[in-house]
Amino acid sequence: MNETAHSYLDDFNTGKTTSNKVVARCLERITERNPSLHALSEVLAEAALAQADDIDRRKSAGQKTGRLAGLPVIIKDLVDVEGAHCKAGLDFLKDYIAEQDAELVRRLRAEDAVILAMSETDSGAFLVRTPQTTHPVAPDHVVGGSSGGSGAAIAAGFGLAAIGTDTGGSIRIPAACCSVVGFKPTYGRVPLDGVRPLAWSLDHAGPLVNSAADIAPVQTVLDPQFDSTGSTKSGPFTLGYDPDYYADAVPEVRQAFESALKLAESLGHELRKVSLPSPESVLAFHMINLTAEAGAYHFEKFPDQWDNYPEGVQQALEIAKREPAYRHVQAERARQVARDQVARAFEEVDFLMTPTLPVLPPRKSDETVETAKGPVPVLQAHISYTCLFDQTGHPALSLPAHLNEQGLGSSLQIVGPLDRDKAVVDLAIELEKARGSLQG
């Protein structure tokens, strides 16, 4: 397992390591592997080393350092970082250099996080492959997306935390594909000023890390009220699951999910079957309101760039062009019905649990993937269990559940009530400790 953020911070604060050492180690790995992995679109080595040296000097002088002092953080390249190329995976934005930091980046810097690099993004954050990036463990397989560069970078040890965005699952999907931890906070808890939108009412930003215990140090900086979002009760908890949310899972994923449920039960938690909006019904309205909002942004912001969008993005924007306004209204009504149904489920249980994905990471060449119910497009398979919680805004975390001999695996998705972000992270930490290290 790669070095964790929380262990580095402990070692830095007790004088066992320095910021320069950890940043230099990350840069060595980047120099060695990023030319083949293409997880990072730009490396900010000179500025990162200068910042690390400044942090070490201040600490040696007995001066105050921030809560994330020296932590190497990678930023998805649709999040503005002053002086960096922030192209959002779009070739026609390759020359765009941000003039100021996004608010979330400002918060990280204010606590002495070292902004190390920009990570590759699926074009405009529309899709779920990040095809330009190579999987660090299984080169023939996808890293997921749209925050695929962030997921691959953490898996490769390029940084100790990375920032991604999530509109249909784009933090949790690459976390699952790369067997790292990804956290989507409650909608609105992390500011999106300076983050290029995909769909305003669905966009979230959050961290990808190596361990569930790494989430809190980062999230307390991104969300200053994070510590107040713990559970309102002490455990054990009631954990809800809906059989529809693993009915099409392949046997390897289903077995890992059932093992996770048994592990939770062995810790004293109660399991209870609940009813959630079906994945099929959510996908139907998700693809309408997401593309409508994306079209509203892209058609206004880049009216002359149609020919420069890749085919997959054009197909998504075509939905926005052809769907009449009443269909968007219907989608929003269906969204509210789904929110109400999830709210009723949380009246019965403390958390919800599903697999993150119904399948293992597909091969790069796959256009469809085989589920237990038959072949479906990769996009549909990847967002079928995740996009509901972008629509409802609930906090959701992807935690690795198993690894096979290829080093590929499946993940558990833990979902909490609105504004109970820390409660989700705390449960993930408990399950991660009980699970132990994964062996591929």
Side-chain angles (χ1 to χ4, degrees):
M1 182 177 180
N2 289 327
E3 183 177 4
T4 61
H6 70 277
S7 64
Y8 159 73
L9 292 170
D10 287 345
D11 287 347
F12 176 83
N13 289 327
T14 56
K16 295 178 182 176
T17 192
T18 66
S19 175
N20 179 279
K21 285 181 180 178
V22 71
V23 169
R25 280 200 302 271
C26 289
L27 287 172
E28 286 174 7
R29 296 186 195 111
I30 290 168
T31 299
E32 179 183 355
R33 298 198 69 192
N34 195 57
S36 60
L37 296 184
H38 305 290
L40 306 178
S41 57
E42 183 174 10
V43 182
L44 309 172
E46 185 176 347
L49 285 169
Q51 186 182 357
D53 288 342
D54 177 66
I55 291 166
D56 290 338
R57 278 194 298 271
R58 284 189 281 131
K59 187 171 189 298
S60 296
Q63 298 173 5
K64 183 180 178 182
T65 55
R67 288 177 289 170
L68 298 180
L71 186 74
V73 180
I74 291 163
I75 308 291
K76 185 175 182 177
D77 80 354
L78 53 61
V79 179
D80 280 355
V81 171
E82 182 180 353
H85 291 82
C86 306
K87 60 187 176 64
L90 294 165
D91 286 343
F92 62 79
L93 289 177
K94 67 181 183 299
D95 295 325
Y96 169 70
I97 298 176
E99 295 182 356
Q100 62 183 22
D101 287 336
E103 174 59 19
L104 70 86
V105 175
R106 188 199 66 78
R107 292 183 182 186
L108 292 168
R109 286 198 201 272
E111 294 295 340
D112 282 332
V114 174
I115 307 304
L116 188 61
M118 309 300 296
S119 62
E120 292 283 0
T121 303
D122 248 311
S123 298
F126 278 87
L127 302 172
V128 293
R129 292 176 176 266
T130 322
Q132 66 272 39
T133 299
T134 298
H135 197 293
V137 175
D140 293 335
H141 294 258
V142 302
V143 295
S146 63
S147 308
S150 292
I154 294 302
F158 291 173
L160 299 190
I163 298 300
T165 61
D166 194 311
T167 309
S170 290
I171 290 172
R172 292 159 289 156
I173 293 165
C177 287
C178 296
S179 297
V180 299
V181 178
F183 179 61
K184 181 194 80 68
T186 295
Y187 179 78
R189 295 202 67 93
V190 174
L192 297 179
D193 311 75
V195 179
R196 195 173 297 278
L198 175 56
W200 292 281
S201 72
L202 302 171
D203 290 343
H204 304 68
L208 295 94
V209 289
N210 282 309
S211 166
D214 291 345
I215 295 290
V218 178
Q219 200 63 22
T220 52
V221 171
L222 297 177
D223 173 8
Q225 302 304 313
F226 176 76
D227 283 341
S228 69
T229 64
S231 178
T232 56
K233 57 180 277 190
S234 58
F237 299 111
T238 303
L239 311 180
Y241 67 97
D242 183 343
D244 278 353
Y245 276 75
Y246 58 96
D248 61 344
V250 297
E252 195 170 341
V253 172
R254 185 186 186 101
Q255 182 178 353
F257 177 64
E258 290 175 343
S259 295
L261 291 180
K262 290 177 182 176
L263 175 63
E265 198 170 29
S266 74
L267 297 172
H269 301 298
E270 177 189 347
L271 304 181
R272 184 175 300 175
K273 191 180 296 186
V274 296
S275 176
L276 297 173
S278 72
E280 295 79 12
S281 69
V282 178
L283 283 166
F285 67 79
H286 178 77
M287 294 308 298
I288 293 174
N289 59 19
L290 182 150
T291 54
E293 292 187 25
Y297 174 75
H298 282 268
F299 294 143
E300 177 183 3
K301 190 75 172 176
F302 308 115
D304 302 322
Q305 294 292 346
W306 179 259
D307 291 340
N308 294 318
Y309 285 105
E311 182 181 1
V313 176
Q314 289 180 345
Q315 290 172 351
L317 291 174
E318 285 286 1
I319 298 174
K321 282 184 175 181
R322 70 171 180 259
E323 291 291 348
Y326 79 84
R327 289 279 286 153
H328 186 226
V329 173
Q330 290 174 332
E332 286 302 306
R333 292 181 67 184
R335 178 185 191 178
Q336 188 57 55
V337 170
R339 284 174 168 168
D340 292 343
Q341 189 171 349
V342 174
R344 288 194 297 273
F346 275 117
E347 292 174 359
E348 302 178 31
V349 301
D350 300 305
F351 299 93
L352 299 170
M353 297 174 71
T354 78
T356 306
L357 308 177
V359 295
L360 300 183
R363 290 184 175 276
K364 281 193 165 189
S365 58
D366 290 343
E367 294 298 325
T368 62
V369 61
E370 196 71 31
T371 72
K373 292 184 176 180
V376 299
V378 169
L379 174 64
Q380 178 180 329
H382 272 188
I383 68 173
S384 61
Y385 295 171
T386 56
C387 68
L388 169 61
F389 305 109
D390 292 284
Q391 293 285 340
T392 65
H394 288 82
L397 183 149
S398 181
L399 180 72
H402 98 291
L403 287 175
N404 63 20
E405 292 180 354
Q406 289 179 278
L408 297 171
S410 64
S411 290
L412 172 70
Q413 180 174 225
I414 305 169
V415 184
L418 293 170
D419 296 314
R420 289 288 164 250
D421 296 42
K422 184 176 183 295
V424 171
V425 174
D426 288 343
L427 178 60
I429 291 171
E430 180 189 12
L431 294 174
E432 185 178 63
K433 287 180 178 176
R435 180 208 68 197
S437 61
L438 295 175
Q439 302 295 326

